[in-house]
Short mmCIF file of all heavy atoms in Angstrom, two decimals:
data_model
loop_
_atom_site.label_atom_id
_atom_site.label_comp_id
_atom_site.label_asym_id
_atom_site.label_seq_id
_atom_site.Cartn_x
_atom_site.Cartn_y
_atom_site.Cartn_z
N GLY A 714 94.35 84.34 106.94
CA GLY A 714 95.43 84.81 107.78
C GLY A 714 95.51 86.32 107.85
O GLY A 714 95.19 86.91 108.87
N SER A 715 95.94 86.97 106.80
CA SER A 715 96.26 88.39 106.90
C SER A 715 95.32 89.28 106.07
O SER A 715 95.56 90.47 105.97
CB SER A 715 97.69 88.63 106.43
OG SER A 715 97.86 88.21 105.09
N SER A 716 94.27 88.73 105.49
CA SER A 716 93.40 89.53 104.62
C SER A 716 92.39 90.35 105.43
O SER A 716 91.85 89.87 106.42
CB SER A 716 92.67 88.60 103.65
OG SER A 716 91.80 89.33 102.84
N MET A 717 92.16 91.58 105.00
CA MET A 717 91.17 92.47 105.63
C MET A 717 90.26 93.03 104.54
O MET A 717 90.75 93.52 103.53
CB MET A 717 91.89 93.63 106.32
CG MET A 717 90.95 94.62 106.99
SD MET A 717 91.75 96.22 107.38
CE MET A 717 93.40 95.77 107.77
N ARG A 718 88.94 92.94 104.73
CA ARG A 718 88.02 93.45 103.73
C ARG A 718 87.64 94.89 104.03
O ARG A 718 87.37 95.24 105.18
CB ARG A 718 86.76 92.59 103.66
CG ARG A 718 85.82 93.01 102.51
CD ARG A 718 84.67 92.06 102.32
NE ARG A 718 83.70 92.17 103.38
CZ ARG A 718 82.49 91.63 103.35
NH1 ARG A 718 82.12 90.90 102.32
NH2 ARG A 718 81.65 91.76 104.36
N LEU A 719 87.64 95.72 103.00
CA LEU A 719 87.21 97.11 103.12
C LEU A 719 86.14 97.34 102.06
O LEU A 719 86.41 97.31 100.86
CB LEU A 719 88.39 98.06 102.90
CG LEU A 719 88.04 99.56 102.88
CD1 LEU A 719 87.43 99.99 104.22
CD2 LEU A 719 89.27 100.40 102.56
N THR A 720 84.90 97.56 102.51
CA THR A 720 83.78 97.78 101.61
C THR A 720 83.44 99.26 101.62
O THR A 720 83.05 99.81 102.65
CB THR A 720 82.56 96.94 102.05
OG1 THR A 720 82.96 95.59 102.23
CG2 THR A 720 81.46 97.01 101.02
N VAL A 721 83.59 99.89 100.46
CA VAL A 721 83.51 101.35 100.37
C VAL A 721 82.38 101.78 99.44
O VAL A 721 82.23 101.24 98.34
CB VAL A 721 84.84 101.93 99.83
CG1 VAL A 721 84.79 103.46 99.81
CG2 VAL A 721 86.02 101.44 100.66
N GLY A 722 81.60 102.75 99.88
CA GLY A 722 80.63 103.39 99.02
C GLY A 722 81.21 104.71 98.52
O GLY A 722 81.75 105.48 99.32
N ILE A 723 81.16 104.95 97.22
CA ILE A 723 81.73 106.17 96.64
C ILE A 723 80.60 106.98 96.02
O ILE A 723 79.92 106.52 95.10
CB ILE A 723 82.79 105.83 95.58
CG1 ILE A 723 83.93 105.03 96.21
CG2 ILE A 723 83.34 107.10 94.93
CD1 ILE A 723 84.94 104.50 95.22
N SER A 724 80.38 108.16 96.56
CA SER A 724 79.32 109.03 96.05
C SER A 724 79.59 109.36 94.58
O SER A 724 80.72 109.63 94.19
CB SER A 724 79.29 110.31 96.88
OG SER A 724 78.37 111.23 96.35
N ASP A 725 78.54 109.34 93.76
CA ASP A 725 78.72 109.56 92.31
C ASP A 725 79.21 110.97 92.00
O ASP A 725 79.69 111.23 90.90
CB ASP A 725 77.45 109.25 91.53
CG ASP A 725 76.23 110.01 92.03
OD1 ASP A 725 76.39 110.93 92.85
OD2 ASP A 725 75.11 109.68 91.60
N SER A 726 79.11 111.88 92.97
CA SER A 726 79.60 113.24 92.76
C SER A 726 81.08 113.39 93.09
O SER A 726 81.68 114.42 92.79
CB SER A 726 78.79 114.22 93.61
OG SER A 726 78.88 113.89 94.98
N LEU A 727 81.66 112.37 93.70
CA LEU A 727 83.08 112.44 94.08
C LEU A 727 83.96 112.07 92.89
O LEU A 727 83.76 111.01 92.28
CB LEU A 727 83.36 111.49 95.24
CG LEU A 727 84.77 111.55 95.84
CD1 LEU A 727 84.93 112.80 96.70
CD2 LEU A 727 85.06 110.32 96.67
N PRO A 728 84.92 112.92 92.53
CA PRO A 728 85.82 112.56 91.41
C PRO A 728 86.50 111.22 91.66
O PRO A 728 86.99 110.96 92.76
CB PRO A 728 86.84 113.71 91.40
CG PRO A 728 86.11 114.87 92.01
CD PRO A 728 85.22 114.26 93.06
N LYS A 729 86.51 110.37 90.62
CA LYS A 729 87.05 109.02 90.80
C LYS A 729 88.54 109.04 91.12
O LYS A 729 89.04 108.18 91.86
CB LYS A 729 86.81 108.20 89.52
CG LYS A 729 85.35 108.15 89.09
CD LYS A 729 84.45 107.64 90.22
CE LYS A 729 82.98 107.72 89.86
NZ LYS A 729 82.44 109.08 89.85
N LEU A 730 89.26 110.01 90.58
CA LEU A 730 90.68 110.10 90.89
C LEU A 730 90.91 110.46 92.35
O LEU A 730 91.87 110.00 92.98
CB LEU A 730 91.36 111.13 89.97
CG LEU A 730 91.52 110.71 88.51
CD1 LEU A 730 91.96 111.89 87.66
CD2 LEU A 730 92.51 109.56 88.38
N ILE A 731 90.01 111.27 92.91
CA ILE A 731 90.09 111.59 94.34
C ILE A 731 89.84 110.33 95.16
O ILE A 731 90.54 110.05 96.14
CB ILE A 731 89.06 112.68 94.72
CG1 ILE A 731 89.44 114.02 94.11
CG2 ILE A 731 88.91 112.78 96.22
CD1 ILE A 731 90.61 114.71 94.77
N ALA A 732 88.83 109.56 94.77
CA ALA A 732 88.53 108.30 95.48
C ALA A 732 89.75 107.39 95.47
O ALA A 732 90.08 106.77 96.49
CB ALA A 732 87.33 107.61 94.83
N TYR A 733 90.41 107.32 94.32
CA TYR A 733 91.61 106.47 94.23
C TYR A 733 92.69 106.98 95.17
O TYR A 733 93.32 106.20 95.88
CB TYR A 733 92.13 106.43 92.79
CG TYR A 733 93.49 105.77 92.70
CD1 TYR A 733 93.61 104.39 92.83
CD2 TYR A 733 94.64 106.53 92.53
CE1 TYR A 733 94.85 103.78 92.78
CE2 TYR A 733 95.89 105.93 92.48
CZ TYR A 733 95.99 104.56 92.61
OH TYR A 733 97.22 103.96 92.57
N ARG A 734 92.91 108.29 95.18
CA ARG A 734 93.95 108.85 96.04
C ARG A 734 93.66 108.55 97.52
O ARG A 734 94.57 108.26 98.29
CB ARG A 734 94.01 110.37 95.85
CG ARG A 734 94.52 110.82 94.49
CD ARG A 734 96.04 110.70 94.40
NE ARG A 734 96.52 111.16 93.11
CZ ARG A 734 96.79 112.42 92.81
NH1 ARG A 734 96.61 113.37 93.71
NH2 ARG A 734 97.23 112.74 91.62
N LEU A 735 92.40 108.63 97.90
CA LEU A 735 92.02 108.37 99.28
C LEU A 735 92.21 106.91 99.66
O LEU A 735 92.67 106.59 100.76
CB LEU A 735 90.57 108.79 99.52
CG LEU A 735 90.27 110.30 99.41
CD1 LEU A 735 88.77 110.55 99.50
CD2 LEU A 735 90.99 111.07 100.51
N LEU A 736 91.85 106.03 98.73
CA LEU A 736 91.92 104.59 99.02
C LEU A 736 93.33 104.03 98.88
O LEU A 736 93.64 102.97 99.43
CB LEU A 736 90.96 103.83 98.10
CG LEU A 736 89.47 104.11 98.33
CD1 LEU A 736 88.64 103.47 97.23
CD2 LEU A 736 89.04 103.58 99.69
N GLU A 737 94.16 104.73 98.16
CA GLU A 737 95.52 104.25 97.89
C GLU A 737 96.28 103.97 99.18
O GLU A 737 97.02 102.99 99.29
CB GLU A 737 96.26 105.28 97.05
CG GLU A 737 97.59 104.80 96.49
CD GLU A 737 98.25 105.86 95.62
OE1 GLU A 737 97.87 107.05 95.73
OE2 GLU A 737 99.14 105.50 94.85
N THR A 738 96.09 104.83 100.18
CA THR A 738 96.82 104.66 101.44
C THR A 738 96.42 103.35 102.14
O THR A 738 97.26 102.68 102.73
CB THR A 738 96.52 105.84 102.39
OG1 THR A 738 95.11 105.99 102.53
CG2 THR A 738 97.10 107.12 101.83
N ALA A 739 95.13 103.00 102.04
CA ALA A 739 94.67 101.76 102.69
C ALA A 739 95.27 100.54 102.01
O ALA A 739 95.50 99.51 102.66
CB ALA A 739 93.15 101.69 102.64
N LEU A 740 95.54 100.65 100.72
CA LEU A 740 96.08 99.50 99.97
C LEU A 740 97.55 99.26 100.25
O LEU A 740 98.11 98.25 99.85
CB LEU A 740 95.85 99.71 98.47
CG LEU A 740 94.39 99.79 98.03
CD1 LEU A 740 94.30 100.09 96.55
CD2 LEU A 740 93.66 98.49 98.35
N HIS A 741 98.20 100.21 100.94
CA HIS A 741 99.62 100.06 101.24
C HIS A 741 99.86 99.68 102.71
O HIS A 741 100.98 99.81 103.21
CB HIS A 741 100.37 101.35 100.90
CG HIS A 741 100.52 101.57 99.43
ND1 HIS A 741 99.66 102.38 98.72
CD2 HIS A 741 101.39 101.06 98.53
CE1 HIS A 741 100.02 102.38 97.43
NE2 HIS A 741 101.05 101.58 97.29
N LEU A 742 98.81 99.24 103.38
CA LEU A 742 98.97 98.76 104.74
C LEU A 742 99.77 97.46 104.76
O LEU A 742 99.76 96.70 103.78
CB LEU A 742 97.60 98.51 105.38
CG LEU A 742 96.78 99.74 105.78
CD1 LEU A 742 95.38 99.33 106.20
CD2 LEU A 742 97.48 100.50 106.90
N PRO A 743 100.47 97.17 105.86
CA PRO A 743 101.20 95.89 105.97
C PRO A 743 100.29 94.69 105.78
O PRO A 743 100.66 93.69 105.19
CB PRO A 743 101.78 95.94 107.39
CG PRO A 743 101.84 97.39 107.73
CD PRO A 743 100.67 98.02 107.05
N GLN A 744 99.04 94.82 106.31
CA GLN A 744 98.06 93.74 106.16
C GLN A 744 97.38 93.85 104.80
O GLN A 744 97.00 94.94 104.36
CB GLN A 744 97.02 93.82 107.27
CG GLN A 744 96.04 92.65 107.27
CD GLN A 744 95.07 92.73 108.44
OE1 GLN A 744 95.07 93.71 109.17
NE2 GLN A 744 94.27 91.69 108.61
N LYS A 745 97.22 92.74 104.12
CA LYS A 745 96.59 92.73 102.80
C LYS A 745 95.13 93.16 102.92
O LYS A 745 94.40 92.70 103.79
CB LYS A 745 96.67 91.32 102.19
CG LYS A 745 96.06 91.23 100.79
CD LYS A 745 96.15 89.81 100.26
CE LYS A 745 95.49 89.69 98.89
NZ LYS A 745 95.52 88.30 98.38
N VAL A 746 94.70 94.08 102.03
CA VAL A 746 93.33 94.59 102.03
C VAL A 746 92.61 94.13 100.78
O VAL A 746 93.11 94.26 99.67
CB VAL A 746 93.32 96.14 102.09
CG1 VAL A 746 91.88 96.66 101.97
CG2 VAL A 746 93.95 96.64 103.38
N ARG A 747 91.43 93.54 100.99
CA ARG A 747 90.57 93.17 99.87
C ARG A 747 89.52 94.26 99.73
O ARG A 747 88.65 94.42 100.58
CB ARG A 747 89.91 91.81 100.13
CG ARG A 747 89.22 91.25 98.87
CD ARG A 747 88.59 89.90 99.15
NE ARG A 747 87.34 90.02 99.87
CZ ARG A 747 86.71 88.98 100.42
NH1 ARG A 747 87.24 87.79 100.36
NH2 ARG A 747 85.58 89.16 101.06
N LEU A 748 89.61 95.02 98.66
CA LEU A 748 88.79 96.21 98.47
C LEU A 748 87.55 95.90 97.65
O LEU A 748 87.61 95.27 96.61
CB LEU A 748 89.63 97.28 97.77
CG LEU A 748 89.02 98.66 97.57
CD1 LEU A 748 88.73 99.32 98.91
CD2 LEU A 748 89.97 99.53 96.75
N GLU A 749 86.39 96.38 98.13
CA GLU A 749 85.13 96.30 97.39
C GLU A 749 84.56 97.70 97.30
O GLU A 749 84.32 98.35 98.32
CB GLU A 749 84.14 95.37 98.10
CG GLU A 749 84.56 93.91 98.13
CD GLU A 749 83.53 93.03 98.82
OE1 GLU A 749 82.39 93.50 99.01
OE2 GLU A 749 83.88 91.90 99.18
N CYS A 750 84.33 98.21 96.09
CA CYS A 750 83.84 99.57 95.89
C CYS A 750 82.47 99.56 95.22
O CYS A 750 82.26 98.81 94.26
CB CYS A 750 84.81 100.37 95.03
SG CYS A 750 86.39 100.72 95.85
N TYR A 751 81.57 100.38 95.72
CA TYR A 751 80.24 100.52 95.15
C TYR A 751 79.96 102.01 94.96
O TYR A 751 80.12 102.80 95.88
CB TYR A 751 79.18 99.90 96.07
CG TYR A 751 79.39 98.43 96.30
CD1 TYR A 751 80.15 97.98 97.39
CD2 TYR A 751 78.86 97.49 95.43
CE1 TYR A 751 80.37 96.63 97.60
CE2 TYR A 751 79.07 96.13 95.64
CZ TYR A 751 79.83 95.70 96.73
OH TYR A 751 80.05 94.37 96.93
N GLU A 752 79.55 102.38 93.75
CA GLU A 752 79.23 103.77 93.47
C GLU A 752 77.72 103.96 93.51
O GLU A 752 76.95 103.07 93.13
CB GLU A 752 79.75 104.18 92.09
CG GLU A 752 79.55 105.65 91.79
CD GLU A 752 79.98 106.04 90.39
OE1 GLU A 752 80.33 105.12 89.61
OE2 GLU A 752 79.95 107.23 90.06
N GLY A 753 77.28 105.12 93.99
CA GLY A 753 75.84 105.37 94.03
C GLY A 753 75.54 106.77 94.52
O GLY A 753 76.43 107.58 94.75
#
């Protein structure tokens, strides 16, 4: 019904706390987001 998948690649040089701050906004959308993160 309302689930949306977001598959994200996170560069290993990007601070993890920055990645969290950026993704946090997507997790607060009205539609439920299923997050998949891959570092590389």
Side-chain angles (χ1 to χ4, degrees):
S715 60
S716 178
M717 179 197 326
R718 186 172 72 168
L719 175 61
T720 309
V721 183
I723 300 173
S724 175
D725 54 11
S726 59
L727 186 75
K729 305 305 174 287
L730 288 170
I731 290 287
Y733 170 74
R734 292 282 182 85
L735 294 173
L736 293 172
E737 190 178 18
T738 53
L740 297 176
H741 288 97
L742 286 172
Q744 185 176 6
K745 182 181 178 183
V746 175
R747 191 179 77 191
L748 185 63
E749 294 181 15
C750 292
Y751 299 91
E752 185 184 6

